[in-house]
Amino acid sequence: MRPIPRRTALKGAAATLALPALPAAGATPEAPRPAPRRPDAPLFGAVTWTLANGLRVVLAENRRAPVAAHYLYVAAGAGEDPAGRSGLAHFLEHMMFKGSPAIPSGAFSRTVAREGGQDNAFTSRDVTGYFQTVEASRLPLMMRMEADRLAAPLLPEAELEPERGVVLEERRQRTDANPRARFREAFDAAMWGAQHWRGRPLIGWEEDIRAITRQDMVAFHAAHYAPGNCVLVVAGDVREADLRRWADEFYGPIPARPFAGRRRAPPPAAAPQPRLERRDPAVREASFLAAFAAPSATWGETALADPLELLAHLLGGGPGSRLHRALVEGGLAVTAGAAYDGDVAGVGSFHLFATPRPGVTPERLEQAIRDEVARLLDQGASEAERARSLRQQTAGALLALDGLGAAPRMLGGALAIGLPLEAVEHWPQRLAAVTLDQVNRAARQVLGAPALAASGWLLPA
């Protein structure tokens, strides 16, 4: 299952800062409304503590329904795959469902289903996550099973080859059979290098997947699946005293042990292949992509992460953005936009993308994009654009706070890449403090004088 980026969820969650909470179901019209949410209030009001073995525990209490979400994050993902073993973190995620000392192979998910819950797992570049959503009284059972799996997965040799076939089929369906996915995979390798942690596909290169052994998995688990390298996040109808007791009971006995930190290579001095053009008979519409290495929330000039978020929105965040007005409303493109990937452990990236309208040549569209970026760098963004982007970034669905999934994904994802709890809880206030000068400086640094960049086209054959 693919992860949800923290900022994607936050854009919806932050909208409720100035809104009153919804009245309880069945309330009479005369029932008083709760007091409006304070502008400086944290999004979730989560509490956190650390067990003696180093496991960080986070609780985001939510009593709207008698349900609990239980997420275990390992602070290691595809970015920690060894050279020549891309896809190892993801393959291990699959094998973690093949049994542990107290849970036979396949019984974990069957037990969750029998209890009326749902479970799954995901691997991103930065984390591997395992989660269950169940009726709140069944949370201790989930914690017992997950702790058993964390401490000692069986990784049975007899199940390795069948699961390798599952992973290879997943790669064929998601990447090999999708021309745009194939192009994006090739683009990342061209910009960063085929074995750089940002240039490798999350699922792995096929030849690397075929080479992964059980011993590779045992070594990866030993290096990264220590309690001190994990974050446990629980959201829902759970009391802090109960969670403290259960965490001590089920996760506390796992021995503390050393673990490998992130040893990620810096960006290359230059893109191995700064320009990539591919033609594919399965493609009917051309598409353009440009990428720039950028500071992130954990790398480089981290203070630029929030300004870059606003920059991406005012430049290419849908209707009203500069690229949309110039290219889509200007009749040159079907779609055009910008995106910033800054919630990562290591170097981030800033992207521009567009699809030309029929009859518009790639050269004309690409030049129009360059012209619009040049105008931004020359004239700077306006205060009205900054304010509009702030409003839209922090506007969205009320359900982001009401639902159980947003809190554990946002909180756990942030802590697992080394950010503090406040990075999530007070993100809206921090974004509101970004000045126009900071946005324009971020644009000049990332788009005006990029240290590393690449561009390319996927074209019909």
Side-chain angles (χ1 to χ4, degrees):
M1 179 176 178
R2 296 183 178 179
I4 298 174
R6 178 174 61 90
R7 289 186 187 272
T8 299
L10 275 171
K11 292 168 189 176
T16 61
L17 288 177
L19 294 176
L22 289 176
T28 64
E30 293 77 18
R33 291 180 176 273
R37 190 180 180 90
R38 296 195 330 269
D40 62 343
L43 287 176
F44 301 107
V47 294
T48 183
W49 64 94
T50 303
L51 303 187
N53 59 13
L55 178 70
R56 289 168 291 175
V57 183
V58 182
L59 171 62
E61 192 170 340
N62 182 335
R63 301 188 188 183
R64 289 177 175 86
V67 181
H70 174 260
Y71 281 63
L72 181 70
Y73 282 85
V74 181
E80 280 57 63
D81 289 342
R85 292 294 187 270
S86 62
L88 176 56
H90 174 256
F91 199 164
L92 175 59
E93 173 215 311
H94 279 238
M95 291 297 293
M96 291 289 286
F97 287 85
K98 303 304 179 181
S100 55
I103 312 296
S105 179
F108 195 116
S109 293
R110 288 197 299 270
T111 301
V112 176
R114 187 173 62 244
E115 298 294 337
Q118 297 178 328
D119 78 314
N120 212 322
F122 57 85
T123 303
S124 74
R125 205 171 297 282
D126 297 319
V127 303
T128 309
Y130 303 86
F131 66 94
Q132 306 86 41
T133 303
V134 293
E135 193 273 326
S137 69
R138 312 314 293 156
L139 176 61
L141 174 61
M142 301 301 109
M143 298 178 72
R144 178 175 67 81
M145 294 196 300
E146 193 67 83
D148 195 60
R149 176 163 66 176
L150 170 64
L154 298 180
L155 309 178
E157 185 77 50
E159 300 204 40
L160 185 65
E161 291 308 317
E163 200 61 32
R164 192 192 311 275
V166 171
V167 173
L168 288 169
E169 180 59 25
E170 182 180 343
R171 177 184 163 81
R172 283 191 286 270
Q173 291 182 359
R174 289 190 173 184
T175 304
D176 299 339
N178 184 328
R180 298 191 184 279
R182 291 196 302 269
F183 174 75
R184 181 56 190 267
E185 184 177 85
F187 183 92
D188 288 344
M191 177 171 175
W192 302 96
Q195 283 295 345
H196 189 275
W197 62 272
R198 285 218 64 141
R200 298 187 301 239
L202 299 184
I203 199 169
W205 300 111
E206 181 177 345
E207 60 270 24
D208 290 356
I209 297 171
R210 294 188 182 278
I212 292 170
T213 67
R214 180 181 184 277
Q215 186 53 44
D216 292 329
M217 295 185 184
V218 171
F220 192 94
H221 185 276
H224 299 290
Y225 278 62
N229 201 39
C230 296
V231 180
L232 174 66
V233 187
V234 174
D237 190 11
V238 182
R239 307 302 182 266
E240 181 181 343
D242 291 333
L243 185 60
R244 284 182 178 271
R245 184 175 71 255
W246 295 330
D248 287 339
E249 178 181 355
F250 299 117
Y251 285 97
I254 303 175
R257 56 182 173 84
F259 55 88
R262 301 187 193 270
R263 302 188 182 100
R264 297 189 170 182
Q273 187 179 351
R275 183 71 176 183
L276 179 69
E277 290 190 4
R278 289 282 179 91
R279 291 188 177 272
D280 195 303
V283 171
R284 294 188 177 184
E285 290 182 324
S287 56
F288 172 77
L289 179 64
F292 308 81
S296 73
T298 65
W299 181 90
E301 194 173 348
T302 57
L304 291 181
D306 292 324
L308 284 168
E309 189 71 19
L310 287 179
L311 173 65
H313 191 271
L314 71 85
L315 181 58
S321 68
R322 288 189 170 221
L323 289 176
H324 191 276
R325 290 199 309 269
L327 304 179
V328 178
E329 296 176 18
L332 297 177
V334 176
T335 60
Y340 168 59
D341 181 18
D343 287 328
V344 296
V347 59
S349 60
F350 194 100
H351 292 89
L352 306 175
F353 53 89
T355 299
R357 286 188 182 276
V360 176
T361 65
E363 295 78 12
R364 184 184 176 193
L365 180 61
E366 186 170 353
Q367 186 57 52
I369 294 172
R370 296 184 189 282
D371 291 345
E372 195 58 38
V373 171
R375 273 190 289 273
L376 173 66
L377 297 176
D378 180 54
Q379 302 170 7
S382 68
E383 178 58 32
E385 288 178 305
R386 187 206 68 86
R388 167 193 164 273
S389 293
L390 175 63
R391 286 194 304 272
Q392 294 192 0
Q393 288 285 78
T394 55
L398 184 64
L399 294 178
L401 284 182
D402 284 342
L404 284 180
R409 287 180 179 268
M410 292 152 59
L411 295 166
L415 268 65
I417 64 171
L419 297 178
L421 197 68
E422 292 73 21
V424 174
E425 293 281 32
H426 296 288
W427 173 82
Q429 297 95 313
R430 199 175 66 247
L431 197 67
V434 172
T435 67
L436 182 61
D437 285 345
Q438 290 173 322
V439 172
N440 287 326
R441 188 166 72 85
R444 291 192 298 270
Q445 180 168 321
V446 173
L447 303 179
L452 175 68
S455 61
W457 280 92
L458 176 61
L459 302 166

